[in-house]
Amino acid sequence: MTLVDTHCHLDDPKFDHDREQALERALAAGVTRLMAIGTGNGPPDLEAAIRLAERYPAMYATIGVHPHDASEATGDTFARLRDLAAHPKVLAFGEIGLDYHYDFSPRDVQRAVFERQLALAAEARKPIVIHTREAWEDTLAGVTSLPYGGIMHCFTGDAAQARQALDRGFHLSFGGVLTFPKAEALREAARIAPDDRILVETDCPYLAPVPHRGKRNEPAFVVETARRLAEVRGTTPENIAQLTTRNFEALCLR
Ligand SMILES: [Zn+2]
Ligand SMILES: [Zn+2]
């Protein structure tokens, strides 16, 4: 059984003391490929994930400006993103989107930076990785087309929202929240998603799945989420591994 962790922040300082070991534990658990999210500490550093991907064969990278950091983006940032998109290990733009929970950047700035990056992704023919929090309607409204596909990262919506995202062409990526006792509405969403539109992720170091909940999350733990997803969908973890791996390849490695 091999799995892909489609969303991890291994550049986070929480991995400074054991990054290599965390990666080894992932490989030992069958997590053979990882997509490192490149939003880092925000611009001007846009290469947080690329540095990791250049160092570790199992790792791929995304590039982008997180909605939290939208107000730091400049013309230079977008020019640099356009260049970095040509890097052979850059698979997607992300995580990009809108976060009205924290509102770390003004909403109009978030929307403008989101729109700009959607255009860059389309130009580079890359899928997008969406971060959306308390901004569902505006996020969907902002994505007027999805020519190269996209991922709703750490999807935590209900079945109705899942249908909306699926109708728009998105893949749904499930993380540790799927294993939380109270997440019944999310599990219903996970039940109705078609086989060819599901992915798994950790979003580590955040949101560790049960039984690691509350601890630092790491890529090896994506196995727990895959197991739970299998239970919810009435299938085997092997089947989930196969499907989600195939979906990652079709979306990001084409
Ligand atoms: Zn996120
Ligand atoms: Zn993330």
Side-chain angles (χ1 to χ4, degrees):
M1 173 165 120
T2 65
L3 282 161
V4 184
D5 180 357
T6 57
H7 194 112
C8 55
H9 297 272
L10 275 179
D11 61 303
D12 192 283
K14 290 196 178 73
F15 290 106
D16 281 353
H17 68 288
D18 71 342
R19 193 166 284 109
E20 305 267 341
Q21 292 90 322
L23 188 57
E24 273 164 30
R25 286 191 292 272
L27 294 171
V31 183
T32 55
R33 283 177 291 184
L34 309 91
M35 193 147 78
I37 302 301
T39 45
N41 288 324
D45 181 19
L46 298 165
E47 296 174 58
I50 291 177
R51 281 192 292 274
L52 291 171
E54 284 179 340
R55 186 149 168 217
Y56 303 109
M59 247 186 257
Y60 295 95
T62 71
I63 49 170
V65 178
H66 195 286
H68 290 342
D69 308 317
S71 52
E72 289 175 59
T74 64
D76 242 28
T77 308
F78 301 118
R80 186 84 188 116
L81 286 173
R82 178 177 283 134
D83 290 345
L84 291 174
H87 189 285
K89 286 201 110 175
V90 169
L91 302 188
F93 269 73
E95 54 190 291
I96 61 175
L98 303 172
D99 193 314
Y100 295 172
H101 177 76
Y102 288 108
D103 278 329
F104 285 152
S105 290
R107 293 180 182 183
D108 57 330
V109 176
Q110 290 191 42
R111 286 192 290 266
V113 169
F114 183 33
E115 192 183 332
R116 192 76 189 263
Q117 294 186 96
L118 289 170
L120 284 172
E123 185 190 309
R125 302 173 176 236
K126 304 276 184 203
I128 53 175
V129 179
I130 296 278
H131 170 104
T132 179
R133 191 158 179 200
E134 291 171 29
W136 184 253
E137 298 303 330
D138 280 8
T139 302
L140 283 185
V143 184
T144 47
S145 74
L146 199 57
Y148 302 98
I151 300 171
M152 281 293 177
H153 123 73
C154 192
F155 179 76
T156 51
D158 58 14
Q161 288 181 325
R163 275 192 201 97
Q164 277 184 308
L166 292 163
D167 286 350
R168 298 295 293 274
F170 280 102
H171 285 62
L172 304 182
S173 183
F174 298 99
V177 178
L178 188 77
T179 68
F180 294 179
K182 286 183 182 155
E184 206 38 63
L186 171 60
R187 283 189 284 275
E188 180 55 29
R191 225 164 262 137
I192 61 140
D195 278 351
D196 61 352
R197 304 284 279 283
I198 54 171
L199 296 165
V200 286
E201 66 169 72
T202 55
D203 200 17
C204 64
Y206 316 105
L207 293 168
V210 172
H212 308 289
R213 192 173 180 182
K215 289 190 249 166
R216 184 196 68 176
N217 199 0
E218 62 173 66
F221 297 169
V222 79
V223 173
E224 305 298 339
T225 300
R227 266 196 206 123
R228 194 65 212 264
L229 188 57
E231 267 174 41
V232 163
R233 293 170 66 88
T235 185
T236 60
E238 288 74 17
N239 180 238
I240 292 296
Q242 228 170 43
L243 291 172
T244 54
T245 295
R246 197 187 299 157
N247 294 343
F248 165 75
E249 289 171 352
L251 180 66
C252 298
L253 294 180
R254 68 189 159 188

